Amino acid sequence: MNLPAPHFTVIFLIMENKKNIAFRTVLAHELRRAKNSFDEYILTLISPEIENKDLAIKRYELYIDFVAHLYEFYKGCAELDDRIPDKIDHIQLDSILTAEAERHLLMARERIDKGYAPVWENNRNYYDVKVPDDFGKHWRYIRNRRNHVNVKRFTGEDISLSEFHEKYHRFIFMLIITDFGEFDSNKPNIQWPIPRQKHNMLILLKI
């Protein structure tokens, strides 16, 4: 099956019915979880805490959480794109996510060439690369290891988290710093559900 070029700019996805509005909220939450995990991961890098096993494990958990939540967000965006068939397999999704990362590289180069890139986005050579063909596949591998009990999480078979970070972090980073528009959880259009506590938790926990 030939899939359309994945150009699902998340700002412009059309979502009108109640199901799509609810799904938008779920995606906004998934994106928020990705951002929170990433922010906390960055804090561990500048932490004055002495390097030890606990800190290393914390960094591992935060980074893999970030990667997994971001994967779920973009997977959800692909599912909302009308140009993409309702039923796509994981191999097709791999290609879609790889092409989306490639599109972000192209946009970064265009911003630099046209003179409206942010100050920190000034090294064109950094963006003048090709996204490796296995990017989407390896992103899926890492996400699966985080979500399932799998010995590959620590054997590093296929690809380890360290290898993933070294090879793909520049692309993952570009996918988290973009303008998410409608999926910004601080926007008023995101209708967060209000928890309703109907039971005494102490009774539920039989304490």
Side-chain angles (χ1 to χ4, degrees):
M1 180 192 311
N2 294 322
L3 295 174
H7 185 141
F8 44 88
T9 304
V10 293
I11 304 172
F12 301 114
L13 290 175
I14 299 174
M15 293 166 290
E16 296 177 350
N17 59 47
K18 289 184 178 180
K19 181 179 179 180
N20 280 341
I21 291 173
F23 195 57
R24 178 181 64 192
T25 302
V26 171
L27 287 179
H29 182 229
E30 202 66 31
L31 176 61
R32 188 185 184 96
R33 295 170 79 186
K35 287 186 172 184
N36 287 346
S37 296
F38 182 71
D39 289 345
E40 290 184 47
Y41 166 75
I42 294 299
L43 288 177
T44 67
L45 298 179
I46 60 177
S47 170
E49 187 177 345
I50 298 175
E51 296 287 335
N52 54 46
K53 182 177 70 175
D54 288 340
L55 182 58
I57 292 174
K58 183 177 182 180
R59 282 181 183 150
Y60 178 98
E61 292 174 344
L62 288 171
Y63 192 77
I64 201 168
D65 281 352
F66 154 60
V67 169
H69 289 311
L70 193 64
Y71 180 94
E72 291 299 321
F73 171 76
Y74 276 96
K75 177 175 177 286
C77 288
E79 292 172 358
L80 284 175
D81 194 315
D82 291 337
R83 296 163 299 167
I84 297 175
D86 291 338
K87 299 295 182 180
I88 56 173
D89 60 32
H90 60 274
I91 302 298
Q92 294 166 329
L93 182 60
D94 292 346
S95 297
I96 289 172
L97 296 179
T98 298
E100 183 67 4
E102 192 71 57
R103 187 176 70 84
H104 277 71
L105 281 177
L106 174 61
M107 290 192 300
R109 293 194 297 268
E110 288 180 348
R111 286 192 294 270
I112 294 172
D113 291 343
K114 294 178 180 179
Y116 58 86
V119 176
W120 51 266
E121 193 177 70
N122 55 18
N123 184 354
R124 194 184 192 284
N125 290 335
Y126 183 81
Y127 304 99
D128 196 13
V129 295
K130 181 182 183 300
V131 179
D133 292 337
D134 286 340
F135 169 68
K137 178 177 72 174
H138 285 158
W139 192 1
R140 171 169 51 85
Y141 284 176
I142 297 299
R143 170 260 196 181
N144 288 346
R145 290 175 199 176
R146 183 262 190 187
N147 291 348
H148 306 291
V149 177
N150 190 323
V151 295
K152 292 181 179 180
R153 186 183 300 176
F154 292 112
T155 63
E157 185 179 341
D158 298 324
I159 188 170
S160 69
L161 186 63
S162 295
E163 291 169 332
F164 181 88
H165 181 278
E166 180 178 354
K167 190 173 183 179
Y168 301 118
H169 181 70
R170 76 171 68 188
F171 312 122
I172 289 289
F173 180 69
M174 292 187 66
L175 291 171
I176 192 63
I177 62 171
T178 188
D179 180 1
F180 290 99
E182 291 298 316
F183 295 106
D184 185 338
S185 60
N186 294 318
K187 294 290 180 66
N189 62 295
I190 299 298
Q191 302 297 317
W192 294 103
I194 300 175
R196 298 176 181 175
Q197 186 172 349
K198 295 182 179 180
H199 305 285
N200 187 319
M201 290 303 294
L202 296 179
I203 295 176
L204 290 176
L205 296 173
K206 296 182 179 180
I207 295 178

